[in-house]
Amino acid sequence: MTPAETALILARAQFAFTVSFHFIFPSFSIGLASYLAVLEGLWLKTGKQVYIDLFRYWVRIFAIVFAMGVVSGIVMSYQFGTNWAVFSDKAGPIIGPLMAYEVLTAFFLEAGFLGVMLFGMKKVGPRLHFGATLMVAIGTFISAFWILSVNSWMQTPTGWAVNAVGQFVPKDGWLPIIFNPSFPFRLVHTVIAAYLTTAFIVGGVGAWHLLKGNKTPAVKKSFSMAMWMAAIVAPIQIFAGDMHGLNTLEHQPVKIMAMEGHFQSHPDGAPLILFGLPDQDAQTVRYALEIPKLSSLILKHDLNAPLKGLDTVKRADQPPVAIVFWTFRIMVGIGFAMLGLGLWSLLARARGKLYDWSWLHRAGILMGPSGTVAVLAGWATTEVGRQPWVITGLLRTSDASSAIATPGVATSLAAFVIVYFAAFSAGTWYILKLMAVPPHEDEPDNVAGPIRTSGTTPAMEGQMAEKA
C-alpha cells in the first residue's frame, strides 16, 4: 500500500468516525424536539399536569443532546477543507449554497427560539412558549431536509453541468438538484428513523423505571406513548424502507447488488440471501442461507424477474460488499424487532398489563438504544454502498481527497478520537444520570435562565434593594 493510499484510508476513517458520532445526536434531537412539542401541545389542550412534567423532564436532556449535535457538526465541516479539498473545490458551487440554506432557514430558526424554549417558561405566556417549542421542532426538520438533499444529490446527482474549471454547477436551476431522484425517499426514511430512535429511548427509560417499581403517572404515560409509536410507526417505516429500496434499485443498482450479496446475475429469479459470509476476492457468499427467488419477488414483485449481479460490474467499481451486506441486515433486523415490540405492547395493553408485564419492560430496555444502532447501520449501508464514488458516477473518493501526508492525518484522527471520547462520554454520562431519575409529579423547571445581567448578581440586587 502506497503512502497516498494509507493517507486516503485514514482520511476516510476520520470522516466516518466523526460523522457517526455526529449522526447519533441529530437523530435523537429531531425526534425529541417533536416529542416536546407534542407534550406541550397536549398540556395546553388538556391542562393535565403529566404532560408538562414530561416536558420539563425531557427538555433538560434535549438541551444537552442539541449542544453535542451542534459541536460535533461544526468539527465535521472543517474536514472538507483539510482532508477533502478537491471535493470542496469541485462540488462547492452546489454543496455550498445548499449548506448555506440549511444555516439560514434551519439553524437560525432553532437558535433563535431555543433560548425561549429552554429558559422562557416563566417569562413568556404559555402559547408563545409553545410557539417557540414548535419553531425548534420545525427547525430540526428543515435542517434534515437540507442535509439529506445534499447527501441525496451525492448519491443520485441530477441537474448539474461542468464549468470551464471542472466544477459541478447548476444546469437548469436548483429544483432538479434539491429534489433529486432519491431525496424524497431518503428524507421520509431518515426522519421516521429519528422519530423511532427517540420513541425507543423514551420507552427504554420508561421501561427501566417501571421495572424498578416507579409507576408515577409520568413514567406510565411516557412508556405508553413510546409503545404507541412503536406499534404505529414501525410498520410505516418498514413500508418506507421498501419504497426506498425500490428507488435504490432503479438509481443505484450496484448498491442493491451489494446489499443483497448478489455476486452472480440471476436471469430466472434471484434468491434472498438471509445470512452468509461475503468473500469479495472469490466473488461469492460462503455458507449462504437463502430462500429461492424471494429477492426477485421483493425487488421486482415477480418470482422469475431477472436481477443483475456484481459480475456485471468492474471489480474497481464494486463497493465493500461485506460491510454493506451486514449493516443492511442489522438495520432490517432491528426494524422488525421494533415492530415485534410494538405488537407485544398492543397485546399487553389489551390484557391490561402494559405497566405490569416485566418481560415487556426488559425488552423495552434492551430495545432502548436500538434506534441509534439502526440509524448508524443504515447510514453505513448508504455511504459504503456508494463507494468507490463520493459523487456517484462523477467523482471517485480517491480523486476527492487533499494532498495530505500520512502522519498529519493520522495525528488528527488520533486527536479526534481522544477528544471525542473524552467530551462526548462526559455528556453521555450526564444524560444517563438524568435518565436514571424518574419523572415525577410537579417536575421542577430546572432549566432556569441566566440570572446575572448587566454586571449585577442576586446578592448585589439585594444590597441595592436594602439601600433603596
Side-chain angles (χ1 to χ4, degrees):
M1 185 177 294
T2 66
E5 290 172 335
T6 303
L8 176 62
I9 289 176
L10 291 173
R12 291 178 62 185
Q14 186 178 116
F15 195 79
F17 175 76
T18 53
V19 77
S20 297
F21 248 99
H22 172 66
F23 197 39
I24 291 172
F25 302 114
S27 64
F28 187 19
S29 61
I30 290 171
L32 193 52
S34 295
Y35 181 53
L36 290 170
V38 169
L39 289 172
E40 193 169 9
L42 288 172
W43 172 61
L44 287 174
K45 182 178 181 180
T46 66
K48 293 182 178 179
Q49 182 67 25
V50 65
Y51 293 119
I52 195 63
D53 285 338
L54 281 174
F55 176 89
R56 286 170 174 162
Y57 179 84
W58 284 104
V59 78
R60 294 194 290 267
I61 295 169
F62 175 82
I64 303 167
V65 173
F66 185 86
M68 291 198 291
V70 171
V71 171
S72 58
I74 292 173
V75 171
M76 211 174 65
S77 63
Y78 283 110
Q79 292 175 71
F80 290 118
T82 54
N83 295 348
W84 303 101
V86 178
F87 166 78
S88 299
D89 175 48
K90 289 186 174 296
I94 286 179
I95 303 295
L98 295 183
M99 297 298 289
Y101 297 152
E102 192 265 343
V103 173
L104 290 172
T105 60
F107 187 72
F108 281 3
L109 188 65
E110 293 168 326
F113 287 96
L114 185 65
V116 179
M117 174 183 164
L118 296 179
F119 309 124
M121 181 65 81
K122 296 180 180 177
K123 296 179 173 60
V124 300
R127 295 188 182 280
L128 181 57
H129 187 271
F130 174 61
T133 305
L134 206 57
M135 289 301 104
V136 172
I138 293 172
T140 61
F141 177 81
I142 296 175
S143 178
F145 176 95
W146 290 115
I147 296 297
L148 289 168
S149 177
V150 170
N151 183 266
S152 297
W153 184 82
M154 293 165 64
Q155 304 276 347
T156 54
T158 52
W160 56 273
V162 179
N163 66 13
V165 294
Q167 295 174 313
F168 302 112
V169 295
K171 181 181 179 183
D172 299 313
W174 285 96
L175 289 182
I177 293 172
I178 296 170
F179 297 99
N180 58 80
S182 66
F183 168 63
F185 300 91
R186 203 179 309 281
L187 177 67
V188 170
H189 193 49
T190 306
V191 170
I192 292 177
Y195 291 153
L196 282 174
T197 296
T198 299
F200 276 85
I201 291 175
V202 171
V205 172
W208 169 263
H209 292 300
L210 285 172
L211 203 59
K212 291 287 184 180
N214 297 310
K215 297 184 179 180
T216 64
V219 170
K220 293 165 69 174
K221 179 64 71 177
S222 63
F223 184 69
S224 175
M225 293 176 75
M227 290 302 101
W228 276 124
M229 280 288 291
I232 296 172
V233 179
I236 295 174
Q237 176 68 324
I238 292 173
F239 176 75
D242 183 53
M243 294 295 102
H244 188 22
L246 296 179
N247 177 266
T248 305
L249 176 65
E250 181 179 356
H251 297 283
Q252 295 179 286
V254 177
K255 184 188 292 186
I256 287 291
M257 295 174 196
M259 290 162 61
E260 298 290 320
H262 290 324
F263 284 103
Q264 286 79 40
S265 298
H266 299 277
D268 301 318
L272 177 66
I273 302 175
L274 297 175
F275 301 104
L277 298 177
D279 185 339
Q280 197 145 7
D281 292 333
Q283 294 283 285
T284 188
V285 177
R286 301 189 184 281
Y287 313 110
L289 176 63
E290 54 188 40
I291 301 175
K293 298 183 181 292
L294 188 55
S295 185
S296 287
L297 180 64
I298 293 173
L299 291 171
K300 293 197 171 181
H301 302 163
D302 181 353
L303 285 170
N304 299 312
L307 279 178
K308 291 183 178 179
L310 290 166
D311 53 358
T312 62
V313 181
K314 290 189 298 184
R315 180 67 180 82
D317 290 341
Q318 294 180 8
V321 175
I323 297 175
V324 180
F325 181 87
W326 278 109
T327 53
F328 175 65
R329 275 149 187 76
I330 292 171
M331 178 187 67
V332 172
I334 289 175
F336 280 99
M338 288 176 169
L339 175 62
L341 186 64
L343 296 176
W344 189 0
S345 72
L346 289 179
L347 178 63
R349 200 184 296 272
R351 293 186 177 184
K353 294 184 176 180
L354 185 63
Y355 310 118
D356 302 308
W357 215 335
S358 60
W359 281 106
L360 175 66
H361 302 155
R362 290 187 178 94
I365 296 168
L366 183 66
M367 290 292 291
S370 64
T372 302
V373 177
V375 296
L376 289 177
W379 194 254
T381 302
T382 296
E383 300 308 307
V384 178
R386 181 184 53 189
Q387 298 301 318
W389 304 97
V390 66
I391 304 174
T392 304
L394 301 181
L395 182 63
R396 285 180 177 272
T397 305
S398 56
D399 296 329
S401 62
S402 310
I404 47 179
T406 301
V409 68
T411 303
S412 60
L413 173 58
F416 275 124
V417 171
I418 294 170
V419 172
Y420 268 55
F421 275 110
F424 293 114
S425 294
T428 303
W429 174 83
Y430 187 62
I431 289 173
L432 293 175
K433 184 179 177 182
L434 291 176
M435 290 179 175
V437 179
H440 50 74
E441 295 181 20
D442 296 324
E443 189 75 27
D445 184 16
N446 285 342
V447 185
I451 56 176
R452 177 169 179 165
T453 58
S454 302
T456 63
T457 67
M460 294 173 64
E461 290 173 354
Q463 293 171 3
M464 293 167 65
E466 289 178 2
K467 290 179 179 178

